Amino acid sequence: MPHYYHQIFTVVTIAALTAGSTQCNAGTVELDGVKITSLSEAVSSAQAADDGPHVINITTDKLAAADAQVIINEPMTINGDADGNGVKCDILADVKAIQALPVGKAEKEKGYLEVQCAGAVTINDLQIHPNADASSVETEFVDGIRLLAPRGKNDHGQYVLNRVWVSGSDGNQNDAFVSLTSTDDLYNKPGIKKWSGQDKRLARAVIQVDKEKEKRKALKQLGSYDSTLTDCQAGFGRGPALNIAPNTGNHVVNGGVFGHSGEEGIRLAGATISLKGTPEKRIAVLRTGNEATAESGGAVAALYDAHIDVMEYVDVAVADSTKAF
């Protein structure tokens, strides 16, 4: 298991911390697992207080209960290792609750953590996995993380994920987080709970970096955004592990592990995309293509409109007869 260096974040508060309170100021919230117990609660509390940027400092290593959906629509930083002990906050996502959420026809996709805002959103040191299987039925689709373009036509977002790991759960081990670094065939192991399926619209993945879309039938376009994923991991989805699909912006993957997926480990389309490993921190794509079809492009697949600026130090180990690139 590679060693990951964890940054220490210092938050300067405007007002003194009130004794016994978990809230430092209008935009800074401490998720301690006692007074504030879930990421969804912490984000809602911060966004209800004032305009951002907000800070969520998580000082517990594991959330006690499965969490509801998290929607980030204001600039924010989430520190999953705010106590600096080198442990990512472990979060079990409440898949059944997310599946039950009502959505409009134009927004059928659902995810545990969704980001859609103008400005900067940085998420550090989270370990996310599902408490139930999302299956391959469209009404039961749930992704781990979805990055979406801001709603304002002229708005621009800057989304950064550092050391965010999204994987499956082992139902035989009390829904324990499943490590993606194994080369064993864990995808087909009985009891493994996975993320979403695939609905032929190329809009699903464990981590979905979504395409800018028209607002329903109107001609208005959503805004644009850049994304950077550093030392992230994604796997155990019935579709791709990571799908990067925007047609504008710059999207960079710095190292990481992607795989144990039904289809591609990494799917690329549009925009300016860079896959940048290093000799010390390579990009590893492994155990993909478990439910691959004739249309599947391989462990790393570039669609016809993909603009790839850089691809370096990318290692691929495929399952069965799946193509590597």
Side-chain angles (χ1 to χ4, degrees), residues 166-246:
V166 190
S167 184
S169 297
D170 189 344
N172 302 308
Q173 300 292 328
N174 198 28
D175 285 347
F177 183 89
V178 181
S179 172
L180 287 168
T181 58
S182 173
T183 56
D184 294 339
D185 182 14
L186 299 178
Y187 185 91
N188 295 299
K189 177 183 175 181
I192 296 294
K193 298 177 181 178
K194 308 178 185 71
W195 298 98
S196 69
Q198 191 65 20
D199 60 1
K200 308 303 180 186
R201 290 179 293 152
L202 306 182
R204 307 228 62 95
V206 178
I207 297 180
Q208 171 73 12
V209 184
D210 210 13
K211 185 176 182 179
E212 298 88 337
K213 300 176 181 178
E214 292 182 352
K215 291 183 178 179
R216 310 202 190 287
K217 295 183 179 180
L219 297 178
K220 294 181 180 179
Q221 296 290 318
L222 298 179
S224 61
Y225 68 103
D226 302 320
S227 69
T228 303
L229 281 63
T230 299
D231 292 337
C232 291
Q233 298 188 12
F236 290 100
R238 288 188 165 82
L242 170 64
N243 188 26
I244 303 178

Side-chain angles (χ1 to χ4, degrees), residues 47 52-55 72-77 117-121:
Q47 292 183 156
H54 309 292
V55 176
I72 297 175
N73 52 35
E74 294 179 4
M76 180 175 301
T77 297
C117 77
V121 173

Side-chain angles (χ1 to χ4, degrees), residues 6-7 56 58 68 71 103 115-116 128 143 152 174 176 240 244 249 261 269 295 323 325:
H6 297 266
Q7 301 174 8
I56 307 293
I58 304 177
I71 303 292
V103 293
V115 180
Q116 185 174 40
I128 303 167
D143 297 334
N174 198 28
I244 303 178
S261 53
E295 293 78 21
K323 297 184 290 292
F325 293 93

Side-chain angles (χ1 to χ4, degrees), residues 68-86:
Q69 189 178 48
V70 178
I71 303 292
I72 297 175
N73 52 35
E74 294 179 4
M76 180 175 301
T77 297
I78 297 174
N79 298 317
D81 181 28
D83 57 4
N85 67 353

